[in-house]
Amino acid sequence: MKLGIKEIQEIIPHRHPFLLIDCIEELEPGARAVGYKSITYNEAQFAGHFPQEPVMPGVLMVEALAQVGAVAILSVEENKGKTAYFGAINNAKFKQKVVPGDRLRLECEIIKQKGPVGIGKAVATNADGKVAVLAELTFMIG
């Protein structure tokens, strides 16, 4: 199942400038989602991070991964209209610098859920297939 911005905004509450995914290419409701984010020079964070060498902040890459995970978990009927909040970020590793012009592939697989709490295994890769970020994301649905 493929989703554009409008369909994504029907599932998660994020809006510009904090919606950090451009599209969802694969969706298995409640289980897994794959999305993409094209990194462009005109994004506000690059004015200060860093003006001479723009680098995508790691925290924003983790947020983008969490948004993809939120699409997966909030796309099931019983979670529609709810919000997925961060509970924890574990084992985050930043392996590749991400710069304007890159296109990140963002994948989050829900590996455990009990009631409103769950864990997603998340990975972001660049166009060459190199891992940029790995993390285990705990969410709480409210």
Side-chain angles (χ1 to χ4, degrees), residues 80-100:
K80 289 193 181 199
K82 296 182 180 178
T83 301
Y85 298 98
F86 262 129
I89 302 167
N90 293 308
N91 303 315
K93 297 195 180 353
F94 302 93
K95 300 187 163 277
Q96 189 78 25
K97 184 166 59 170
V98 174
V99 297

Side-chain angles (χ1 to χ4, degrees), residues 35-97:
Y36 287 89
K37 167 70 175 150
S38 295
I39 312 303
T40 64
Y41 279 102
N42 65 350
E43 295 177 44
Q45 68 268 13
F46 295 128
H49 196 270
F50 304 100
Q52 302 306 315
E53 182 187 358
V55 176
M56 181 76 168
V59 67
L60 293 181
M61 289 186 282
V62 172
E63 174 64 26
L65 285 164
Q67 289 180 16
V68 169
V71 169
I73 203 65
L74 297 177
S75 62
V76 295
E77 193 61 41
E78 62 266 22
N79 292 333
K80 289 193 181 199
K82 296 182 180 178
T83 301
Y85 298 98
F86 262 129
I89 302 167
N90 293 308
N91 303 315
K93 297 195 180 353
F94 302 93
K95 300 187 163 277
Q96 189 78 25
K97 184 166 59 170

Side-chain angles (χ1 to χ4, degrees), residues 1 7 35 60 65 72 76 94 97 100 103-104 108 120 122 129-130:
M1 177 184 303
E7 293 90 0
L60 293 181
L65 285 164
V76 295
F94 302 93
K97 184 166 59 170
R103 185 172 192 235
L104 282 181
C108 188
K130 293 182 180 174

